Amino acid sequence: GFLPLQGHIVRNWKVRWFVLLQDKLLYYKIEGGKKEPSPKGRILLDGCTITCPCLEYENRPLLIKLKTKTNTDYFLECCSREERDSWALDITGAIHAGHPVQVQELHRMKNSFKLLENISLHDIVERMYDSSTGIKLTRNLDQGNRYKETFTGSALVDWLISNSFAVSRFEAVTLASMLMDENFIRPVGVRSTEATRSSDPSEKFLDDSTALYMFAESSKKNTSSKEEVPFNISELSGKIVKQGFLVKQGHKRKNWKVRKFVLRADPAFLHYYDPTKEENKPVGGFSLRGCLVSALEDNGVPAGVKGNVQGNLFKIITKNDIHYYIQASSKAERVQWIEAIKPLT
């Protein structure tokens, strides 16, 4: 699948097509909507260590870090926590392929706690913000520094249990760790910040009355100025239904670029982002009301498609008769996107 990868020499981000084998992770350059025949590079997994979640880049909270036995660091970015955890589990399984007991333990840990049905992290954060029933924000002093609008680790655990998001303190800590991994909340002060450096995922969030946390800047609803967002804020307020990397044909140059697509409902919009850019702002998007979406035939290059691009294509026509040509990584993924978009049109 597609993942943005940070370069070694020029520390910019490029989207590459990754293929995981038993002993290595290959990545390919995509040109004109097609994977080049030879890999651009490879990550040898023998002796490799994996860090997930990786919190080294504040504005990229969904990273996986791989350190090879020659001490070369690779940073891979995913679209969602589910995608990140799936990649991390599969890569870790390949690293420990000769140690089946460790792989079984990884699967057990992954499945030991799951979110309750029909509850999303976005819904929890919405409830946390509620002025009457949400988490109580207070001023706190830590190592001589004053912090406004903070809450303690134990206060969040208590709140999650009292609002039936978790039934035990262990589950609440796991849930709070997920909120921190997704950059909804962040640690402030010495104790909570140092805990994030722990190698044990269960110790990254502290159920403690002296550990301070606050809402992360990226999750605050109030945007300082409309100029900071090139779209109507209401467009971006809908619930995220689906997100992932797809290849899109440009409107002007008709070249093909990998974009991160985010599908939202209420209101129904499809936005796309440039995953190589640091700022998390859409580079385009449109309302889905009145749109037509359909799969394109895989035999030959369909009309309207420039270049020798074929396979797993679908088309969206807006009510203003603008045509978007998009390529999925597989037939199954194309079906999933079409089925997710159709009910919102």
Side-chain angles (χ1 to χ4, degrees):
F2 290 113
L3 294 173
L5 169 72
Q6 188 185 56
H8 294 300
I9 301 172
V10 180
R11 308 297 282 180
N12 57 353
W13 295 82
K14 298 288 186 182
V15 180
R16 298 290 183 243
W17 177 260
F18 281 82
V19 177
L20 177 62
L21 304 179
Q22 186 168 344
D23 60 343
K24 64 177 76 72
L25 188 59
L26 304 178
Y27 53 94
Y28 296 79
K29 191 175 180 181
I30 301 293
E31 283 292 341
K34 284 194 168 185
K35 175 178 73 103
E36 291 189 343
S38 300
K40 181 78 174 175
R42 68 194 67 214
I43 303 171
L44 299 178
L45 298 178
D46 179 39
C48 199
T49 59
I50 182 169
T51 303
C52 179
C54 172
L55 305 176
E56 292 190 26
Y57 291 86
E58 186 175 348
N59 59 339
R60 292 181 182 267
L62 297 173
L63 289 179
I64 296 171
K65 177 182 178 181
L66 297 175
K67 181 185 281 290
T68 67
K69 65 180 180 181
T70 58
N71 289 323
T72 303
D73 291 340
Y74 292 87
F75 292 92
L76 318 176
E77 185 177 31
C78 299
C79 264
S80 64
R81 183 179 60 82
E82 292 76 15
E83 183 189 48
R84 181 199 61 196
D85 291 350
S86 178
W87 269 104
L89 186 72
D90 290 340
I91 292 170
T92 306
I95 292 172
H96 298 301
H99 307 280
V101 174
Q102 288 178 282
V103 178
Q104 288 175 7
E105 178 66 13
L106 283 164
H107 282 278
R108 188 195 65 77
M109 288 176 63
K110 183 174 185 285
N111 297 319
S112 63
F113 173 74
K114 294 182 179 180
L115 283 176
L116 296 174
E117 290 294 325
N118 303 319
I119 293 180
S120 72
L121 296 181
H122 289 274
D123 293 335
I124 294 173
V125 174
E126 287 289 326
R127 291 274 296 277
M128 288 175 68
Y129 270 113
D130 191 283
S131 57
S132 58
T133 61
I135 190 83
K136 301 303 179 187
L137 303 178
T138 59
R139 294 171 180 264
N140 282 284
L141 185 67
D142 183 274
Q143 299 286 315
N145 295 315
R146 294 184 182 278
Y147 297 100
K148 297 180 180 179
E149 299 186 330
T150 60
F151 47 87
T152 67
S154 56
L156 178 54
V157 169
D158 292 341
W159 184 88
L160 290 169
I161 294 173
S162 65
N163 284 272
S164 302
F165 289 115
V167 297
S168 68
R169 300 194 79 82
F170 170 77
E171 287 189 3
V173 167
T174 305
L175 199 49
S177 298
M178 291 179 181
L179 291 170
M180 193 164 61
D181 290 348
E182 296 298 307
N183 208 31
F184 287 117
I185 64 174
R186 65 182 180 88
V188 290
V190 175
R191 283 214 66 204
S192 56
T193 303
E194 287 184 348
T196 62
R197 302 188 181 100
S198 171
S199 58
D200 186 346
S202 65
E203 296 177 0
K204 290 183 182 294
F205 180 88
L206 298 178
D207 178 9
D208 194 295
S209 60
T210 63
L212 301 181
Y213 300 87
M214 68 188 304
F215 289 112
E217 290 295 323
S218 61
S219 68
K220 289 189 175 179
K221 292 181 177 179
N222 298 323
T223 307
S224 57
S225 68
K226 288 186 178 179
E227 289 72 28
E228 292 181 1
V229 180
F231 295 87
N232 187 315
I233 293 175
S234 65
E235 292 184 22
L236 305 171
S237 64
K239 181 179 179 181
I240 295 177
V241 176
K242 186 174 178 59
Q243 54 187 329
F245 296 111
L246 299 167
V247 190
K248 174 187 166 294
Q249 179 176 270
H251 290 306
K252 295 179 181 179
R253 297 179 60 190
K254 304 300 181 185
N255 56 348
W256 291 82
K257 299 275 189 182
V258 178
R259 294 289 180 250
K260 174 186 173 182
F261 279 79
V262 178
L263 177 64
R264 294 181 172 92
D266 300 320
F269 274 84
L270 184 62
H271 292 98
Y272 48 94
Y273 300 71
D274 185 344
T276 66
K277 303 296 184 186
E278 290 298 327
E279 63 272 12
N280 188 31
K281 297 177 183 178
V283 294
F286 51 91
S287 170
L288 290 171
R289 295 303 180 195
C291 284
L292 297 173
V293 57
S294 60
L296 298 177
E297 294 294 333
D298 288 343
N299 51 347
V301 180
V305 173
K306 301 297 181 182
N308 190 28
V309 178
Q310 54 188 295
N312 310 320
L313 290 165
F314 64 98
K315 177 171 67 173
I316 301 175
I317 306 174
T318 70
K319 64 180 180 181
N320 298 324
D321 201 35
I322 299 174
H323 293 225
Y324 290 86
Y325 295 95
I326 302 168
Q327 185 181 42
S329 61
S330 66
K331 287 184 178 180
E333 186 182 47
R334 176 174 65 181
V335 170
Q336 290 168 9
W337 272 100
I338 291 174
E339 290 182 347
I341 291 169
K342 272 187 175 178
L344 302 178
T345 60

